[in-house]
Amino acid sequence: MSSDLQVFRLPDLGEGLTEAELVNWLVAVGDQVKVDQPIAEVETAKSMVEVPSPYAGTVAELHGEAGQTLDVGKPLISIARVGTGSGSPDAPADAADAVSTGVLASPEVSAAAETYRTEEKAGSGNVLIGYGTPGGATGGRTRPRKASVAVVEPAAVPEASFEPAVAGTRIPGKLSAVISPLVRKMARDHGVSLDSIEGSGASGLIMRRDVEAAISAPEAPAATAPAPAVAAAASAAEGSVDGRTGLAVSARTPVRGVRKAVAANMTKSRSEIPEATVWVDVDATALLDMRAELKKRAPHDTPGLLAFIARFVTAGLKKYPALNTRFETAADGSQEIVGFDGINLGFAAQTDRGLVVPSVRNAHELSARELDAEIRRLTAVARDGKATPTELGSGTFTLNNYGVFGVDGSAAIINYPEVAMLGVGRIIDKPWVVNGELAVRKVTELTLAFDHRVCDGETAAGFLRYVADAIENPGGALADM
């Protein structure tokens, strides 16, 4: 390897994480990069982060493709020092140079390379596929061939730049049918064969819009038999028969990223925590009336219902601190209940990446209005995949508003290593006795799951009743907080 080539390895991402999924390259081979310039987006079990480059120079090689899981410490990118060109005399600086290695480049090819480069950088939507693009593995579904695919001879293309499995007619002087690994990932995730797509870009370059059109096109029987590799993949996903049920397997979805972390956390919670559950129906009419009155006075600055309930929860945890602890077992078998001087209130947030639990740090110090602002901010960054490991892993108690999904109650699994979780169901009209008379009231159900090792039912019931009473008499409760 040339001494002028600087190899940057995937850094330690903190929180004990040992791997990350490469979601998106922000640079391409031949690009000039500066120190601290973001070069890739990676997704860990905690969040999605941008990885900055510690070197300046020319990108010589990308070690991995979108969708690939990389171990911490493994090569991520190779960068040639400024003024030395690429790290290898045989490696072209960009896609246009790749074409000129062994074949004569044309202005059309150079234009296509520049089109690709511009779209990758600017995120035009034609090539760049960022985080959050929906779709999953649906098996090796193939579509009818539309036209031959133009690709470069393998000798003219650096390994890290193109997919060697793309097959089709090779036309000298043309770019590869697909330059972007992100477009390839989109096609792979939706089971679309790139052989069947006629690229609309310069020199037959397959763009994101071409793959999207293929995904939305009605399916038809394939005109030709799939290649052996494609057939094998299809057999593994769709053609195989499950031995236990006798049914054909429709798809196999790898468990990784956030889903993998959630699965491990829930399994550990269920296996280690002897949890119990208590619940109560609550008349939330007064809380809704109070918020409606506040909204009349300040239409754009009124906290949401969850923020008020969060305020009641933090007050309740001060009164019943056993539910704001952690149960620890040391290597020698000794056990401790660890208490905290403060409350980091987690709340469940549904995102495209799965369920995550960002936490409001020092929530006990915040008003309902401040809690509302922080809940909204954390929800936004979590859904964008930008929440930090600290924001996602520092909670001491979780509030779960599953009422937004239209359900009344849930036997929730505690967010390990916490010891309790409060769930809030939907608020609906129900018959309720008020001052001895039947009336229609706004009623919700509160459900508390707690670790029976840290407290008995009396403590759990006391906390639950405190929050319920605050919801039913919010004015009086807020006056005392």
Side-chain angles (χ1 to χ4, degrees):
M1 180 179 294
S2 170
S3 61
D4 292 324
L5 198 63
Q6 306 164 108
V7 179
F8 176 42
R9 300 176 184 276
L10 183 66
D12 182 356
L13 300 168
E15 300 289 316
L17 302 171
T18 60
E19 64 180 22
E21 180 182 343
L22 179 58
V23 175
N24 178 28
W25 282 112
L26 303 178
V27 296
V29 172
D31 280 353
Q32 298 293 319
V33 296
K34 300 178 181 178
V35 173
D36 290 336
Q37 176 181 335
I39 55 175
E41 289 180 317
V42 299
E43 180 182 12
T44 70
K46 297 287 187 181
S47 62
M48 187 157 75
V49 297
E50 289 184 344
V51 179
S53 172
Y55 307 124
T58 304
V59 177
E61 186 175 0
L62 306 177
H63 300 282
E65 294 187 355
Q68 182 177 349
T69 298
L70 304 176
D71 294 329
V72 169
K74 295 294 184 181
L76 179 64
I77 191 172
S78 295
I79 298 176
R81 298 179 192 277
V82 177
T84 63
S86 93
S88 168
D90 296 325
D94 56 24
D97 290 339
V99 176
S100 67
T101 305
V103 290
L104 183 62
S106 66
E108 182 184 18
V109 171
S110 299
E114 185 58 32
T115 297
Y116 161 72
R117 181 86 62 226
T118 301
E119 289 175 342
E120 281 287 275
K121 289 179 178 177
S124 67
N126 291 326
V127 173
L128 182 61
I129 305 170
Y131 170 75
T133 299
T138 57
R141 183 174 44 140
T142 60
R143 297 179 183 272
R145 177 183 295 274
K146 294 180 180 177
S148 298
V149 179
V151 296
V152 181
E153 289 289 340
V157 184
E159 260 184 45
S161 300
F162 300 100
E163 185 90 348
V166 177
T169 303
R170 291 183 170 87
I171 304 175
K174 296 293 185 180
L175 285 173
S176 172
V178 181
I179 297 178
S180 172
L182 309 175
V183 173
R184 287 200 299 273
K185 182 178 185 297
M186 185 183 197
R188 182 170 62 249
D189 287 349
H190 288 81
V192 175
S193 171
L194 292 171
D195 293 345
S196 65
I197 299 177
E198 182 176 0
S200 61
S203 297
L205 187 69
I206 294 178
M207 316 293 278
R208 172 180 175 175
R209 58 176 177 263
D210 302 323
V211 177
E212 289 176 335
I215 292 170
S216 61
E219 292 193 50
T224 59
V230 176
S235 175
E238 289 187 343
S240 60
V241 176
D242 179 56
R244 178 177 174 273
T245 63
L247 299 175
V249 176
S250 61
R252 293 185 184 276
T253 304
V255 179
R256 57 193 182 193
V258 171
R259 178 52 55 194
K260 182 178 180 180
V262 169
N265 198 54
M266 296 298 99
T267 299
K268 195 167 188 179
S269 179
R270 271 286 194 242
S271 63
E272 292 190 16
I273 298 178
E275 66 185 36
T277 304
V278 289
W279 60 91
V280 64
D281 286 341
V282 182
D283 180 3
T285 306
L287 178 60
L288 267 68
D289 289 345
M290 183 191 75
R291 183 175 182 275
E293 185 62 31
L294 291 173
K295 199 169 181 63
K296 289 179 182 177
R297 301 175 187 175
H300 305 295
D301 194 29
T302 303
L305 291 175
L306 188 64
F308 285 113
I309 297 175
R311 187 70 188 90
F312 302 150
V313 166
T314 57
L317 290 174
K318 289 181 183 179
K319 190 175 181 66
Y320 297 92
L323 296 171
N324 188 54
T325 61
R326 185 170 64 235
F327 192 94
E328 291 186 352
T329 302
D332 61 2
S334 61
Q335 296 177 324
E336 291 181 328
I337 296 175
V338 181
F340 304 106
D341 184 17
I343 301 166
N344 289 348
L345 184 63
F347 61 95
Q350 191 67 44
T351 73
D352 290 340
R353 302 167 59 240
L355 185 68
V356 297
V357 186
S359 58
V360 179
R361 297 176 65 82
N362 296 312
H364 59 290
E365 299 177 351
L366 305 181
S367 67
R369 184 170 281 108
E370 291 169 332
L371 284 167
D372 184 70
E374 187 64 1
I375 289 172
R376 292 178 186 276
R377 183 190 72 81
L378 288 169
T379 299
V381 297
R383 287 178 176 165
D384 289 340
K386 301 298 184 182
T388 66
T390 298
E391 289 171 331
L392 292 176
S394 60
T396 60
F397 183 95
T398 295
L399 176 61
N400 187 358
N401 180 24
Y402 44 70
V404 297
F405 299 114
V407 298
D408 299 329
S410 169
I413 299 176
I414 296 171
N415 185 26
Y416 185 92
E418 298 169 14
V419 299
M421 174 186 288
L422 179 68
V424 183
R426 59 178 179 161
I427 300 176
I428 58 175
D429 290 341
K430 279 189 176 182
W432 200 260
V433 177
V434 181
N435 297 324
E437 296 184 356
L438 196 62
V440 176
R441 307 289 283 184
K442 302 291 185 180
V443 178
T444 187
E445 182 179 284
L446 301 182
T447 307
L448 178 70
F450 67 98
D451 186 338
H452 226 315
R453 298 174 297 179
V454 302
C455 68
D456 297 324
E458 181 181 5
T459 299
F463 168 80
L464 187 62
R465 192 64 256 172
Y466 178 90
V467 176
D469 290 344
I471 291 175
E472 292 184 339
N473 182 24
L478 290 171
D480 293 334
M481 291 178 184

